[in-house]
Amino acid sequence: MGGVRILLLAAVAVLATGCQAEVAGQAESTGFLVKDGTQLRFRPVLAELPPGPPTGSAADRQSTDPATQQAAARALECAPGQPDPLAGRDDPALPLVSCDRVRGTKYILGPGFLSGADVSRVDAAVDPQNGGALVNLSFTATGARTWAEWTGQNVGKQVAMVLRGRVLTAPSVQSAITGGETQITGKFTLPEAQQLARDIAGG
């Protein structure tokens, strides 16, 4: 698609994610329609643990008990490319212990409150303000209402976007996000932003 699609309306707020490489230059945006039946889930981040080797024995990764969640996080193997036996079989109504898909960061996540059915379109673009790359999300009308309510109550907290049980990204909410449009910013290269947009859309 042609042109750079940047959403600068007052209703648009930004999610910030960190520790990617700096980017410069101009490029066209790349858009993706979210696939029907995608297993994308939006889950609140309850705790984040640094990468590290698994310790202890396996525990229930969807327990509602905080001690069991901590034990499951410590025991979870998070090496990149490691197959996840829970992939695609997690219950969105329950908490989830999961990993970041790249860095191996471990997360304890709350129940899902939005799904891929609530997102209509995702694209990656260059931010003309700083030359970095960003990801734009467009929500359905129903998704926009839920997203506005959740972000309004959780400013400063992280939200994980989880596909088939694995965390794609876990940015922080910068302000209440109304209007159904959201930007994920960070030190992305454009290819990284395009890959994230593709993953959020269901691969």
Side-chain angles (χ1 to χ4, degrees), residues 187-200:
K187 295 178 181 178
F188 298 118
T189 64
L190 187 60
E192 287 169 341
Q194 290 170 335
Q195 184 62 56
L196 178 57
R198 185 178 298 109
D199 290 343
I200 290 171

Side-chain angles (χ1 to χ4, degrees), residues 164-179:
R164 291 184 284 277
R166 192 62 70 122
V167 175
L168 300 176
T169 185
S172 298
V173 177
Q174 301 299 298
S175 63
I177 304 173
T178 60

